[in-house]
Amino acid sequence: MDTLETRELRYFLAVAEELHFGRAAERLGMSQPPLSRAIQQLERRIGVSLLERNRRGVSLTDAGEVLLHEGRAALDATAAAARRTRRAGGADSPGAPRSRLVLAVKAASSHELLQKLLDAYAAEPGAAEIEVLPCGMCEQEELLRDGRADVALMHAPYNSLAGFDSEELQTEGQIAVVPSGHPLAARKTLSLADVSTVPDLPLARWPRHGTYSPGPGPEIHDQTQLAQLIALGRTVAILPDSARSWLWAKHTAVPLTDAPPVVTHIAWPAHSRSLTLAGLIRTAAQL
């Protein structure tokens, strides 16, 4: 048995995530007996046990752990395929141009590069409409994987390019953004050690794959929150040099001498066969 139905995967993922047949059945809007039978049938078809059932409850076997990971990716892929297909046919926005691409970008990041790309592509014959989708910190990967975006501007080492095709567009240094009234603002340059050990100015933290790294600094949810906390003297941030474009008067940008460079890529799903997307990538590669 080399194929799985999406219905089977949805049933199994509900049980695997809840580790309780009753709650999984409620989540799926069905009764428990047919759900139990469906899981048992799936195990027989695959030929391995996916769940351990005992008086203490339900737990995943090693094989179940694999299917949990692979099943999530498979369902995400089918949802992404449906979203991109609907967008290509214009079904997601009736009345909009049929030729349309959604470009995910981190809010206020690489503004000059983004404008240059949009202007260059708009000048191409038969250019599609580009919908720019601003997103939060490190959200481009998720938007690209689940089909809400067709293409994204991503920044290594902050974003993972695993599973995507990409084209390198720009390399830049990093800066420390500090409150203008802080002693660090008077420095010509700083090192990573200089900004990571300031008791009254902890480093800002933002999520990677939904979790925040440990530390005393504030958890950042969006650019506006970050800008305000820096201006209030509550945090310092390490950002690409292009972030200078959105800094406030109460911010000071100081170059970092030992921070790794940030490389901006345009990235897209490796399996894409969209001619419209290929045209945008060609334009980006010529910038």
Side-chain angles (χ1 to χ4, degrees):
M1 198 283 295
D2 295 324
T3 60
L4 292 170
E5 298 178 2
T6 56
R7 176 183 60 84
E8 292 177 313
L9 286 177
R10 286 193 300 106
Y11 286 3
F12 170 74
L13 290 181
V15 177
E17 291 169 354
E18 299 290 344
L19 292 179
H20 190 282
F21 275 91
R23 290 194 298 269
E26 183 177 356
R27 169 174 152 181
L28 292 165
M30 62 189 299
S31 60
Q32 184 172 334
L35 176 60
S36 297
R37 289 195 295 270
I39 298 299
Q40 290 169 356
Q41 181 180 12
L42 174 61
E43 289 177 315
R44 286 195 298 271
R45 290 180 60 214
I46 296 180
V48 296
S49 176
L50 300 171
L51 302 168
E52 293 285 354
R53 307 162 179 83
N54 53 49
R55 293 180 180 179
R56 291 175 294 180
V58 178
S59 60
L60 291 170
T61 64
D62 290 345
E65 290 281 2
V66 171
L67 186 57
L68 173 61
H69 174 76
E70 298 287 349
R72 282 172 174 160
L75 286 185
D76 285 347
T78 58
R83 288 189 179 107
R84 292 193 177 101
T85 300
R86 287 176 58 82
R87 188 154 56 243
D92 64 331
S93 298
R98 290 176 61 88
S99 185
R100 185 167 69 93
L101 294 172
V102 175
L103 170 62
V105 298
K106 187 172 70 175
S109 177
S110 304
H111 174 76
E112 292 184 3
L113 176 64
L114 174 60
Q115 191 64 63
K116 186 178 179 182
L117 171 60
L118 294 176
D119 290 346
Y121 180 67
E124 293 289 331
E129 177 190 1
I130 302 297
E131 177 185 337
V132 177
L133 179 60
C135 59
M137 306 290 185
C138 299
E139 289 183 349
Q140 303 99 306
E141 299 168 49
E142 180 182 352
L143 295 172
L144 200 53
R145 293 187 198 282
D146 70 12
R148 284 177 287 171
D150 301 293
V151 61
L153 292 185
M154 295 168 62
H155 313 281
Y158 298 112
N159 297 123
S160 170
L161 297 169
F164 301 124
D165 283 340
S166 66
E167 187 77 31
E168 182 177 322
L169 301 183
Q170 172 181 283
T171 300
E172 59 186 314
Q174 298 199 68
I175 55 175
V177 182
V178 301
S180 293
H182 194 277
L184 290 180
R187 299 275 296 273
K188 296 296 184 182
T189 61
L190 291 168
S191 68
L192 289 173
D194 290 333
V195 297
S196 62
T197 57
V198 185
D200 64 332
L201 205 63
L203 278 168
R205 296 179 295 134
W206 36 77
R208 298 292 298 272
H209 307 294
T211 61
Y212 288 87
S213 59
E219 295 181 352
I220 301 302
H221 306 290
D222 56 51
Q223 176 202 328
T224 301
Q225 177 204 18
L226 175 62
Q228 186 170 36
L229 289 175
I230 295 173
L232 290 171
R234 301 299 179 91
T235 191
V236 59
I238 297 174
L239 298 169
D241 190 76
S242 57
R244 293 175 185 268
S245 63
W246 59 261
L247 297 187
W248 297 2
K250 293 186 177 181
H251 300 157
T252 295
V254 184
L256 288 166
T257 58
D258 58 349
V262 174
V263 183
T264 300
H265 299 255
I266 188 167
W268 64 96
H271 59 270
S272 176
R273 296 295 182 270
S274 168
L275 296 179
T276 303
L277 176 57
L280 177 64
I281 303 304
R282 272 196 307 273
T283 299
Q286 294 168 1
L287 291 178

